[in-house]
Amino acid sequence: MHSLWSFALGFLPQIITIAPSRSFEGACHHFELNLSGVLLNGTTHYPANTTVAITTPQSSINATDLPAFCRLELVVTTNATAGSTALTEVWLPDDWNGRLLTVGNGGLSGGVNVADLGNLAVKQGFAGVSTNTGHDSHPGDGSWGGPHNDNAIIDFSFRALHLSVITSKQIVKTYYQRHIKKSYYIGCSTGGRQGLKEVQQFPDDFDGVVGSPANWMTHLLGWSLHVNQQVQPITSPSFMSTNLWTDVIAPEVLRQCDALDGLTDGLINDPRICTFRPETLTCRPNQNRSTCLTSPQIFALHHIYSDYFEANQKYVFGRYYPGGEDVYWGGYASDTPFSIAVDYFRFFVLNDTSFNVADYNGKVLDIAIELNVGGFDAVNPDVSAFVGQEHNGKVIHYAGWADQLISAGDSIHYYEAVHRFMTENTELDIENFYRLFLVGGMQHCVGGLGATSFGAAGDAQPALSHDARYNVLSAIVRWVEEGAAPDNFTAAHYRGGHAAQGVDFTRPICKYPLSVRYVGGDPNSADSFECALLT
Ligand SMILES: *[C@@H]1O[C@H](CO)[C@@H](O)[C@H](O)[C@H]1NC(C)=O
Ligand SMILES: *[C@@H]1O[C@H](CO)[C@@H](O)[C@H](O)[C@H]1NC(C)=O
Ligand SMILES: *[C@@H]1O[C@H](CO)[C@@H](O)[C@H](O)[C@H]1NC(C)=O
Ligand SMILES: *[C@@H]1O[C@H](CO)[C@@H](O)[C@H](O)[C@H]1NC(C)=O
Ligand SMILES: *[C@@H]1O[C@H](CO)[C@@H](O)[C@H](O)[C@H]1NC(C)=O
Ligand SMILES: *[C@@H]1O[C@H](CO)[C@@H](O)[C@H](O)[C@H]1NC(C)=O
Ligand SMILES: *[C@@H]1O[C@H](CO)[C@@H](O)[C@H](O)[C@H]1NC(C)=O
Ligand SMILES: *[C@@H]1O[C@H](CO)[C@@H](O)[C@H](O)[C@H]1NC(C)=O
């Protein structure tokens, strides 16, 4: 516990400040660093509601509703011998809530996450931290990895983020002349992987971690190409066009699955209750092939909607769950190879630029698993150092049931691995440190047909309120600082995907293994649903 004394002392400089905004502006412009291996390369103070328009290879922000903050641009040395560096930004709101929030990246990028720094951190009073992970690239581009760009690979794996967090803790303390109450993390996809990596490897960096992870990269990227292979190339007899996914498969999935949660509303709250049978769409002789499925297509769908096992029955990854077909029309089961996966095998695993989707097989997967290049995988089920009594860290993990880029099955798989490990090896109860929330109709990280706005990483739309019942970031803060764990969230689906257009409907997000079920009343209100065990 931090002492009350240091907390009270920390407040003094603010109390004696007469014109806070002017003084923060000055403090920002005149901020000086004296940390070895860290260069300050820019200080900008943005007044409240001024236009903040910044684009990086990771994300962009174009906001006019942010509170006043100071933007520090840093160059952090990650390996002095190699001369490798990471670009890291620290955003410091004038009206600081005393907490640090580090935000993650996506794909194989490559850029400071300015969107989450603004929309999540600064807007909610946190000092925000984000790094480009040691290189600049679009999330879909892995050509920076090699061959053998080992320092960049390690930076991307964990080093750039870890060093950025350590550095930022110093900077934030110096800037505000106050101690940091608690340190948090939020990230999705690669961002989720980064968060779990920290939990497993650098337990002191954060007190609370929120994430939706690509934490098993070796297996995930194998699965991506496995799904690609079910339908590609476009000339394959098992290829399915966008039109087949949206106009033929999607309606049949809903016909078979939608009503099972008690409500026919075009949304599958929990796909575990339904096994999709594509055979019902089998083409009759002479039937128009744009309206039905051939045997090779049905065979492909069975693979896509089943967990992926190696030939020796070893589990590789989860499956597509029914429910995302019409808005996401197939995800990896489309006409284009998944560039992140292709680049991963080309530039990190095999170091062979001629590698293509067709070259993928179980042997290639085994090489990837064996090498685990850069130590990307964040799958250690032993999280004792983070969650044990000494540190008492908390994890909120969420994932979209309709995510076709990372099967929600991966989230369940890791959660249950931690569950088993921590039960077998400690006296700790997973309920007290790690909770998983699966979101009906949510695609990759954000968006989809469901109620998906609850303050998640990458969501430019706000949660319904800052209250912990609605906002996952408030929930982790409450859990860490008050010991009150979240049981569920009430999330919003906004009209046209924009909060400004009003709330379309609200719905609960239930804690795994519970399932959302309609109990009666207004289907647009979360109050008409319960969280119940699957029967
Ligand atoms: C920077 O920090 C070092 C080590 O703490 C100290 O020796 C040095 O005087 C400092 N330099 C300035 C300009 O403050
Ligand atoms: C530092 O800032 C200057 C001016 O904006 C920019 O040209 C330069 O690339 C930056 N250096 C690094 C390492 O980002
Ligand atoms: C910024 O905009 C918000 C919302 O319009 C308003 O409440 C607030 O007073 C503005 N702040 C300043 C400093 O202009
Ligand atoms: C930011 O948004 C405004 C208003 O929509 C638009 O006029 C402007 O071009 C945008 N700026 C950038 C850099 O995208
Ligand atoms: C730093 O880079 C050098 C040169 O590439 C390399 O030999 C060394 O192993 C690296 N150190 C670490 C800790 O990564
Ligand atoms: C490819 O390069 C990476 C990074 O240097 C290395 O870790 C990996 O072992 C290499 N792969 C093979 C098959 O040699
Ligand atoms: C086959 O069905 C598609 C989609 O409904 C339609 O656009 C097309 O005109 C049909 N083709 C024939 C020959 O009827
Ligand atoms: C959500 O959690 C709260 C607090 O535990 C509980 O009162 C409420 O019934 C839960 N809502 C649902 C839909 O389960």
Side-chain angles (χ1 to χ4, degrees):
M1 284 297 269
H2 297 288
S3 74
L4 208 62
W5 172 238
S6 67
F7 189 62
L9 247 188
F11 261 107
L12 280 176
Q14 256 212 327
I15 292 166
I16 56 174
T17 300
I18 294 158
S21 62
R22 188 169 302 159
S23 97
F24 274 112
E25 191 179 344
C28 182
H29 287 139
H30 299 121
F31 189 71
E32 277 177 30
L33 259 191
N34 182 16
L35 286 175
S36 82
V38 186
L39 198 95
L40 183 58
N41 196 40
T43 60
T44 316
H45 189 268
Y46 291 89
N49 302 339
T50 194
T51 299
V52 178
I54 306 169
T55 296
T56 74
Q58 166 67 54
S59 70
S60 58
I61 187 166
N62 182 5
T64 52
D65 60 351
L66 297 184
F69 71 97
C70 173
R71 176 192 186 199
L72 301 181
E73 292 167 80
L74 311 170
V75 183
V76 178
T77 299
T78 57
N79 180 338
T81 314
S84 58
T85 55
L87 302 185
T88 297
E89 297 199 18
V90 184
W91 290 19
L92 303 150
D94 292 5
D95 190 7
W96 184 43
N97 69 13
R99 305 178 179 99
L100 190 64
L101 178 67
T102 302
V103 299
N105 301 81
L108 296 169
S109 88
V112 168
N113 189 346
V114 288
D116 283 351
L117 280 178
N119 294 325
L120 294 180
V122 158
K123 224 184 219 177
Q124 297 179 71
F126 295 82
V129 181
S130 173
T131 175
N132 77 340
T133 73
H135 72 276
D136 284 321
S137 83
H138 180 269
D141 173 17
S143 57
W144 57 268
H148 308 298
N149 200 357
D150 289 350
N151 276 296
I153 290 172
I154 291 168
D155 281 342
F156 173 77
S157 179
F158 62 85
R159 190 169 59 190
L161 187 77
H162 173 59
L163 293 176
S164 297
V165 173
I166 291 178
T167 300
S168 304
K169 284 185 175 177
Q170 301 278 347
I171 289 175
V172 170
K173 271 186 261 185
T174 307
Y175 182 79
Y176 293 108
Q177 294 293 299
R178 278 166 62 186
H179 100 120
I180 299 169
K181 257 200 263 186
K182 293 285 175 190
S183 167
Y184 295 93
Y185 178 85
I186 190 166
C188 183
S189 205
T190 279
R193 181 189 68 78
Q194 291 167 306
L196 287 184
K197 191 84 186 165
E198 288 271 330
V199 163
Q200 295 160 19
Q201 202 162 318
F202 304 106
D204 291 337
D205 282 359
F206 305 123
D207 300 293
V209 165
V210 178
S212 183
N215 63 317
W216 211 7
M217 266 182 85
T218 52
H219 285 236
L220 162 63
L221 297 176
W223 174 70
S224 318
L225 296 189
H226 162 78
V227 176
N228 280 174
Q229 281 187 342
Q230 301 313 310
V231 300
Q232 290 173 10
I234 200 165
T235 50
S236 161
S238 56
F239 178 74
M240 287 166 278
S241 65
T242 307
N243 160 272
L244 261 188
W245 278 101
T246 57
D247 300 351
V248 178
I249 301 169
E252 179 61 13
V253 165
L254 286 182
R255 197 189 64 78
Q256 292 185 25
C257 305
D258 186 6
L260 300 180
D261 54 25
L263 185 66
T264 305
D265 61 345
L267 184 58
I268 298 172
N269 285 308
D270 188 330
R272 287 175 298 171
I273 55 179
C274 187
T275 305
F276 170 52
R277 284 181 54 243
E279 281 75 6
T280 52
L281 292 170
T282 311
C283 291
R284 293 281 182 190
N286 302 320
Q287 188 175 349
N288 180 339
R289 293 291 189 259
S290 301
T291 63
C292 57
L293 299 177
T294 62
S295 276
Q297 291 169 334
I298 289 170
F299 192 69
L301 287 176
H302 273 289
H303 279 291
I304 291 166
Y305 285 96
S306 300
D307 287 351
Y308 172 29
F309 289 89
E310 284 204 74
N312 63 5
Q313 296 309 304
K314 204 172 118 193
Y315 176 83
V316 182
F317 213 68
R319 65 179 86 173
Y320 276 23
Y321 287 94
E325 294 75 11
D326 46 355
V327 278
Y328 220 35
W329 77 273
Y332 293 145
S334 66
D335 53 356
T336 35
F338 185 52
S339 71
I340 292 178
V342 173
D343 278 9
Y344 173 70
F345 288 99
R346 273 186 191 166
F347 298 107
F348 297 76
V349 178
L350 301 172
N351 309 312
D352 172 3
T353 51
S354 72
F355 173 85
N356 240 312
V357 178
D359 304 321
Y360 175 77
N361 57 40
K363 273 201 190 114
V364 170
L365 174 65
D366 287 340
I367 294 171
I369 293 170
E370 166 81 25
L371 292 176
N372 182 21
V373 174
F376 288 172
D377 282 354
V379 293
N380 186 348
D382 181 0
V383 295
S384 331
F386 181 71
V387 307
Q389 272 177 358
E390 296 245 310
H391 190 68
N392 206 18
K394 309 294 179 197
V395 178
I396 297 179
H397 179 153
Y398 62 88
W401 275 123
D403 186 341
Q404 295 174 342
L405 296 188
I406 305 177
S407 168
D410 171 56
S411 288
I412 296 171
H413 191 266
Y414 180 68
Y415 173 86
E416 294 293 23
V418 174
H419 188 185
R420 282 193 309 274
F421 181 92
M422 297 299 285
T423 306
E424 277 175 356
N425 296 286
T426 76
E427 295 300 326
L428 300 171
D429 179 354
I430 194 162
E431 276 287 286
N432 294 332
F433 60 81
Y434 181 5
R435 294 185 176 203
L436 170 63
F437 297 86
L438 296 170
V439 187
M442 186 162 91
Q443 300 170 20
H444 187 61
C445 297
V446 295
L449 294 175
T452 60
S453 281
F454 63 113
D459 196 352
Q461 305 306 314
L464 284 163
S465 96
H466 286 332
D467 187 276
R469 240 185 93 189
Y470 306 94
N471 183 327
V472 69
L473 203 49
S474 309
I476 194 84
V477 168
R478 185 160 168 255
W479 196 4
V480 166
E481 296 180 17
E482 296 167 33
D487 286 324
N488 54 63
F489 294 96
T490 299
H493 184 94
Y494 295 113
R495 284 194 196 97
H498 294 286
Q501 291 175 32
V503 175
D504 201 3
F505 60 89
T506 62
R507 200 152 287 189
I509 298 172
C510 297
K511 183 185 60 170
Y512 177 83
L514 302 182
S515 188
V516 179
R517 196 181 304 156
Y518 180 63
V519 289
D522 179 2
N524 289 330
S525 164
D527 294 341
S528 307
F529 297 81
E530 65 174 4
C531 294
L533 268 178
L534 280 174
T535 46

